[in-house]
Amino acid sequence: MKKLYMIGNAHLDPVWLWPWQEGFQENKATCRSALERLSEYEDVIFTSSSAQFYEWIEKNDPEMFAEIEKRVREGRWVICGGWWVQPDCNIPCGESFARHALLAQNYFKEKFGVTAKTGYNVDSFGHQGMMPQILKLSGMENYVFMRPGPHEKGLPARNFIWESDDGSKVHAFRLPFSYCTFGRLEDHMRACKEEFDAGVDELMCFYGVGNHGGGPTIENIETVKKLQKEWDDVQIVFADPDFYFEKLRERKYELPVVHGDLQHHSSGCYSAESQVKRYNRKAENALLRAEKFSVMSKLITGHGYTEGLTEGWKRVLFNQFHDILAGTSIQKAYEDTGNEFGEALSIAARNENNSLQAISFHIGIEQEENMLPAVVFNPHGWEVEEYVEVETGMFGNSCRGESYIVKDSSGHVVPSQKISSDAKVNGRNRIVFQACVPSLGYAVFRIYAVEQEQEQEHTSGALVLENEKVRVQFEEKTGAMVSIWDKENKIEYCDGVFGRAVVVKDNSDTWSHGVTRFHETEGFFVPQSVKKTEDGPVRSSIRVISKYKNSTLVQIYTLYKEDSSVRVSAKINWQEKFRCVKIQFPVALDQYRGIYEIPFGCIEKACNGEEEPVQRWMDLSGMQEDNHKVICGVGILNDCKYSACMEHNCMEMTVLRSPVYAHHNPYILDEEEDDYQFTDQGIQNFCYTIVPHLGTGKEAHLVQRAEELNQPCVTVIETYHKGDYPQKAELLTVSESHVVLSALKKAEKDRGYIVRLYETEGKACQADICLHFLEKTIHAEFKPYEIKTFLVSESVDAEPAKVNFLEWEE
């Protein structure tokens, strides 16, 4: 007989159409209701997720927490979803998913003696393709979701095996119709009764009031009991998802395999409310960098600084809840979100500063007249060639003609250039210089003031940026690039106007329900000023100021002398409504393939104009048939954007959208109403980098370039002093360039360190990871796109051990 497993639950959005304080209260009310139902009905089982909810109750109502603990240990209150909340499953970085598992699963184990076996994101708006591997490393073998629905993503069955690029597999189940019941449960159950997969006699049906909490009601449970007696063709069982998946395995059903991501639902969520997405990216990277520098400080000085980092991660993880990070909550909720991300950023900044200055103040630096020492720290697991900016008042009220010389730790002069200072006062000076910094290490540079005027270099043409590698031509009429010419390989990368900002009509709601493409062009930003602002031995820049109606966009394009990439710093003051802004990059290719970065990996997508979630980079590569069939392409890196599309040979980065806050179809807006609050109004800043390259995007080291953009080197201005530490040092090196360091942190419970890496180009390899201060080497084999985590003990005799995201040995 077919079996219908009734899953009692209460989907609770801690923030959505209400602030977190209301979600906090409703969480307690929901748990009290669930406990009462379990007391009244001996066969009912309640399923719940999200460690944050349990921590709230533990701290605010210990007595209720003790009741929950008792029910968990009885097996009647089942914990699913081993993450801190039910997050957006496209926007958080890979490390954030690892921290969701680390904090939540260890919390569940400590408080209840169990961990979640089933991933549980029933309301998230799409699911990226590396999720099966992430789930397995989080200690979970099953996954429950609902969106995208059948009308948005065709799947061979509701039950299937979901596989990621590394070969990891989990059992997945797409919920029929809904994760909660507002109307008659009997109607919902009769609809689910028709949803059994061919050849599979088990199906889950979720019930219980949700969204604003609630859970199973007495009426719900009595309805189930009534139908248990009435239905003679389907057996109805109170159960939980773990039990359901266990039964599937026992029956050994042949389930279809699905590879790749599960999209699309609510494509507008990737670009709605830009500020929360910018905060998220900045906070993730600030915490990761602080952790790495804390380990560096611990191994060099004996003092590691990690105060509050766990709490900082909790603030980030909570605000990755899908209705917060997706930009779909009410405007007032984002005031709290800004405060919480700010708390995480402040915690990271304090720990990073303490760690770096503990090192820099004990580096031996000799006294020299008119010299300013700067210590540059590299947070990455590879040697970085970066351009570092330093601003100081060390040299006093120097004349405008004064220039500088910069020397590295070996005494060699490195290219430097005086640039405009942030402070518009006499006595503050700013320079940029080229710095080569060892892998996860530091290097000392000396800045000398000199009297002569720094020679200015001038390229041919006012609207040209040029070095020995590339020539970039701008057009005054559009304010955009019309040529990126690779001088050495004789390749033109631009297919027409390149990097122009376009305004697109967008009358959709906040989620963009039913919308997969933003393509109805209304107009373009028109340049008001196109001017070369810098031209020196290190870099040249062109500033473009353009307008669209009441909005202004300022973009500064910079080309460094030793780099073929164009770096762009942008500021937009947006004052329009029901519009979105995109920047277009048409690439001169005849045959092409588009790739988007996803957490811990990348995914190829059709160039059909559909809006896609993207992490820090996207790439369009292919063949130029008229140019000896050369393989080349262009990568676009970003520091805070998550939405893009590719249509034919044109990439488009979505900068912002401006719907009404928390507008959800089918609600009809009043055209006469003038008091609506619109998203993305006012000033916002972002950066992106244009990377032309030979070969495919996977071979262009875009992951490393994106890491460098999002976690730049940090400079500490020092003084001269005696010290025991050398002027140049490295902490960690990786033998294979396509194996990238994702995290280096103090272990949660052991006296040691966690090292996490992942393979980025889809190539199996063997890699040696050397931790120089510990005098230990990890020898590791990586499958394509595999994530590996190691626990490295401080003990001299202990060998590195492979662990999962929970920091438990596998």
Side-chain angles (χ1 to χ4, degrees):
M1 183 181 291
K2 292 181 178 180
K3 289 186 179 180
L4 189 64
Y5 295 84
M6 300 303 298
I7 312 299
N9 79 112
H11 181 68
L12 172 62
D13 295 325
V15 176
W16 180 26
L17 309 179
W18 45 83
W20 70 266
Q21 294 88 345
E22 187 172 331
F24 186 103
Q25 188 280 330
E26 184 56 38
N27 178 49
K28 292 192 295 182
T30 297
C31 290
R32 173 49 58 200
S33 175
L35 288 167
E36 290 174 357
R37 299 294 83 75
L38 294 181
S39 296
E40 295 162 352
Y41 298 93
E42 293 183 354
D43 51 352
V44 168
I45 296 172
F46 183 67
T47 296
S48 182
S49 71
S50 305
Q52 175 68 91
F53 297 164
Y54 294 90
E55 188 183 65
W56 277 350
I57 291 176
E58 180 189 16
K59 293 181 177 180
N60 195 252
D61 195 333
E63 293 79 11
M64 190 193 303
F65 188 80
E67 292 182 60
I68 294 173
E69 181 184 2
K70 177 183 176 183
R71 292 303 189 183
V72 171
R73 295 186 184 276
E74 287 176 353
R76 296 189 58 211
W77 184 302
V78 176
I79 293 172
C80 283
W83 290 344
W84 199 250
V85 294
Q86 292 185 42
D88 181 277
C89 292
N90 286 312
I91 298 174
C93 71
E95 272 303 317
S96 285
F97 287 110
R99 304 318 169 92
H100 274 285
L102 172 67
L103 297 183
Q105 293 281 51
N106 278 288
Y107 179 86
F108 291 144
K109 186 66 174 178
E110 177 185 348
K111 303 300 179 180
F112 305 117
V114 301
T115 56
K117 298 183 178 67
T118 299
Y120 188 92
N121 289 292
V122 297
D123 195 29
S124 301
F125 311 137
H127 312 264
Q128 52 92 4
M130 291 299 284
M131 196 70 79
Q133 184 178 189
I134 290 171
L135 288 164
K136 295 282 281 189
L137 292 171
S138 301
M140 293 180 280
E141 297 183 344
N142 315 308
Y143 196 56
V144 177
F145 72 101
M146 188 177 75
R147 312 181 194 280
H151 63 294
E152 297 165 315
K153 170 72 174 181
L155 292 172
R158 291 201 175 275
N159 288 284
F160 59 93
I161 302 299
W162 190 18
E163 181 183 47
S164 57
D165 283 348
D166 72 302
S168 297
K169 297 177 181 179
V170 295
H171 281 229
F173 177 83
R174 178 159 66 183
L175 272 64
F177 306 116
S178 180
Y179 48 74
C180 59
T181 47
F182 296 110
R184 283 184 8 121
L185 176 57
E186 183 170 346
D187 294 338
H188 178 56
M189 292 175 66
R190 291 190 183 281
C192 289
K193 187 179 178 182
E194 306 302 319
E195 291 294 315
F196 284 89
D197 290 332
V200 178
D201 295 334
E202 347 280 307
L203 185 76
M204 284 192 284
C205 174
F206 279 54
Y207 73 99
V209 179
N211 286 347
H212 197 261
T217 64
I218 293 175
E219 182 182 9
N220 286 162
I221 297 168
E222 291 297 332
T223 296
V224 174
K225 288 185 170 293
K226 178 176 78 77
L227 295 181
Q228 281 178 326
K229 299 175 182 178
E230 294 179 359
W231 287 5
D232 56 10
D233 56 343
V234 174
Q235 182 181 358
I236 302 171
V237 181
F238 289 109
D240 62 85
D242 291 350
F243 184 75
Y244 173 76
F245 285 110
E246 182 181 329
K247 292 302 177 184
L248 286 186
R249 287 185 172 87
E250 286 181 4
R251 296 287 297 274
K252 297 181 180 180
Y253 290 112
E254 291 290 333
L255 301 180
V257 176
V258 174
H259 189 96
D261 62 2
L262 304 176
Q263 313 289 2
H264 298 91
H265 178 84
S266 300
S267 296
C269 292
Y270 318 142
S271 51
E273 178 53 38
S274 296
Q275 187 74 320
V276 71
K277 293 172 171 61
R278 184 172 187 269
Y279 278 142
N280 176 71
R281 180 80 65 84
K282 299 300 182 186
E284 285 176 329
N285 284 285
L287 290 166
L288 289 170
R289 195 170 64 178
E291 288 175 342
K292 287 182 278 190
F293 286 147
S294 175
V295 173
M296 183 187 297
S297 178
K298 173 66 174 176
L299 293 178
I300 294 175
T301 73
H303 302 286
Y305 298 87
T306 59
E307 183 179 357
L309 287 177
T310 297
E311 188 59 36
W313 273 113
K314 287 180 179 179
R315 297 307 91 225
V316 170
L317 301 181
F318 175 75
N319 286 285
Q320 290 177 342
F321 180 75
H322 53 267
D323 277 315
I324 301 176
L325 193 53
T328 55
S329 294
I330 57 174
Q331 185 183 31
K332 185 178 183 302
Y334 290 107
E335 296 176 12
D336 294 327
T337 294
N339 293 336
E340 296 211 312
F341 275 123
E343 181 182 1
L345 286 164
S346 294
I347 289 170
R350 286 194 296 272
N351 282 281
E352 177 179 274
N353 180 72
N354 286 338
S355 297
L356 299 187
Q357 296 219 32
I359 299 170
S360 67
F361 198 69
H362 293 89
I363 297 172
I365 302 175
E366 316 83 33
Q367 180 177 356
E368 292 185 68
E369 185 177 352
N370 213 24
M371 184 273 290
L372 179 70
V375 186
V376 182
F377 290 87
N378 171 17
H380 304 295
W382 57 89
E383 182 180 82
V384 167
E385 293 242 5
E386 190 52 273
Y387 297 92
V388 175
E389 295 184 20
V390 171
E391 182 155 339
T392 178
M394 173 79 174
F395 300 119
N397 293 317
S398 56
C399 65
R400 291 182 180 272
E402 185 180 66
S403 188
Y404 302 92
I405 291 176
V406 180
K407 294 182 180 180
D408 63 19
S409 56
S410 300
H412 299 124
V413 175
V414 300
S416 64
Q417 179 178 330
K418 186 176 179 180
I419 59 176
S420 177
S421 66
D422 288 344
K424 307 306 179 186
V425 298
N426 291 329
R428 294 293 292 181
N429 300 277
R430 191 172 187 84
I431 65 169
V432 58
F433 61 90
Q434 187 176 13
C436 181
V437 190
S439 175
L440 199 66
Y442 67 83
V444 175
F445 294 84
R446 293 172 173 78
I447 304 169
Y448 300 87
V450 294
E451 294 183 358
Q452 69 265 25
E453 178 79 27
Q454 186 176 57
E455 292 184 9
Q456 294 293 307
E457 298 181 0
H458 297 279
T459 57
S460 59
L463 300 184
V464 172
L465 300 176
E466 187 170 5
N467 59 25
E468 293 183 357
K469 297 183 177 182
V470 294
R471 186 178 191 271
V472 183
Q473 175 72 50
F474 287 77
E475 181 181 58
E476 191 166 16
K477 179 177 66 174
T478 60
M481 291 161 280
V482 290
S483 174
I484 300 177
W485 175 249
D486 183 333
K487 297 161 72 172
E488 179 181 357
N489 298 294
K490 312 300 182 186
I491 297 173
E492 174 57 62
Y493 287 97
C494 296
D495 185 20
V497 178
F498 192 93
R500 180 161 60 166
V502 57
V503 179
V504 177
K505 290 183 180 179
D506 174 21
N507 293 316
S508 61
D509 65 7
T510 312
W511 288 256
S512 296
H513 282 112
V515 175
T516 58
R517 303 171 73 235
F518 301 106
H519 59 89
E520 191 175 349
T521 299
E522 183 177 82
F524 298 91
F525 275 82
V526 177
Q528 309 296 301
S529 170
V530 184
K531 179 182 179 182
K532 180 168 283 187
T533 56
E534 291 182 333
D535 201 3
V538 173
R539 71 186 191 189
S540 299
S541 298
I542 287 177
R543 183 187 65 211
V544 179
I545 302 174
S546 55
K547 292 186 71 70
Y548 176 82
K549 294 186 178 179
N550 297 314
S551 301
T552 304
L553 173 64
V554 180
Q555 297 193 86
I556 299 174
Y557 300 84
T558 300
L559 180 68
Y560 288 89
K561 295 304 180 183
E562 302 294 329
D563 192 3
S564 59
S565 301
V566 180
R567 310 188 192 199
V568 188
S569 174
K571 178 175 72 173
I572 188 169
N573 185 351
W574 182 245
Q575 300 295 331
E576 319 307 323
K577 303 168 183 176
F578 298 117
R579 303 290 183 270
C580 72
V581 175
K582 288 172 165 282
I583 300 178
Q584 298 178 328
F585 308 96
V587 186
L589 295 170
D590 300 303
Q591 298 181 34
Y592 41 82
R593 56 193 299 188
I595 297 177
Y596 301 84
E597 186 187 34
I598 62 176
F600 286 132
C602 61
I603 190 167
E604 183 174 344
K605 289 285 189 174
C607 298
N608 58 8
E610 289 190 350
E611 202 75 3
E612 302 287 350
V614 63
Q615 291 269 309
R616 302 164 302 179
W617 61 269
M618 59 178 171
D619 182 83
L620 192 66
S621 298
M623 181 182 293
Q624 289 189 352
E625 292 187 344
D626 294 337
N627 189 13
H628 307 291
K629 294 187 176 181
V630 65
I631 301 297
C632 61
V634 174
I636 305 295
L637 321 178
N638 75 82
D639 75 336
C640 61
K641 299 302 174 185
Y642 291 95
S643 191
C645 75
M646 300 187 201
E647 187 162 16
H648 304 304
N649 67 326
C650 184
M651 291 183 284
E652 296 183 357
M653 179 176 68
T654 306
V655 173
L656 56 81
R657 292 180 58 241
S658 50
V660 172
Y661 272 99
H663 171 217
H664 195 306
N665 284 337
Y667 183 90
I668 299 174
L669 299 173
D670 184 351
E671 294 183 1
E672 304 298 322
E673 177 66 63
D674 60 359
D675 195 35
Y676 292 123
Q677 300 296 319
F678 290 81
T679 66
D680 281 352
Q681 302 297 290
I683 294 174
Q684 57 174 281
N685 297 279
F686 60 98
C687 296
Y688 62 95
T689 303
I690 302 161
V691 185
H693 60 81
L694 284 176
T696 68
K698 292 181 181 180
E699 299 166 341
H701 301 305
L702 296 179
V703 173
Q704 289 91 328
R705 294 297 304 271
E707 286 269 8
E708 292 167 12
L709 173 63
N710 284 271
Q711 289 185 44
C713 292
V714 181
T715 303
V716 176
I717 300 298
E718 263 299 345
T719 56
Y720 57 86
H721 39 59
K722 294 181 179 180
D724 299 326
Y725 306 152
Q727 296 195 2
K728 191 174 184 179
E730 65 182 1
L731 181 67
L732 177 148
T733 54
V734 184
S735 64
E736 298 295 324
S737 63
H738 55 104
V739 173
V740 171
L741 176 69
S742 179
L744 174 65
K745 62 182 286 290
K746 180 182 177 295
E748 295 296 303
K749 299 188 181 298
D750 295 282
R751 289 180 56 84
Y753 306 96
I754 294 296
V755 183
R756 185 155 35 249
L757 310 101
Y758 64 107
E759 198 284 320
T760 62
E761 295 181 13
K763 299 186 300 188
C765 69
Q766 292 184 340
D768 292 336
I769 303 97
C770 299
L771 289 94
H772 299 289
F773 279 80
L774 287 175
E775 297 184 353
K776 292 189 177 185
T777 299
I778 302 169
H779 305 285
E781 293 187 4
F782 284 84
K783 295 184 293 186
Y785 300 112
E786 185 178 13
I787 310 160
K788 284 200 169 182
T789 307
F790 299 93
L791 171 62
V792 183
S793 173
E794 291 180 338
S795 172
V796 175
D797 300 328
E799 291 294 322
K802 186 181 176 185
V803 297
N804 60 15
F805 286 167
L806 316 185
E807 302 182 9
W808 302 355
E809 287 197 38
E810 295 183 339

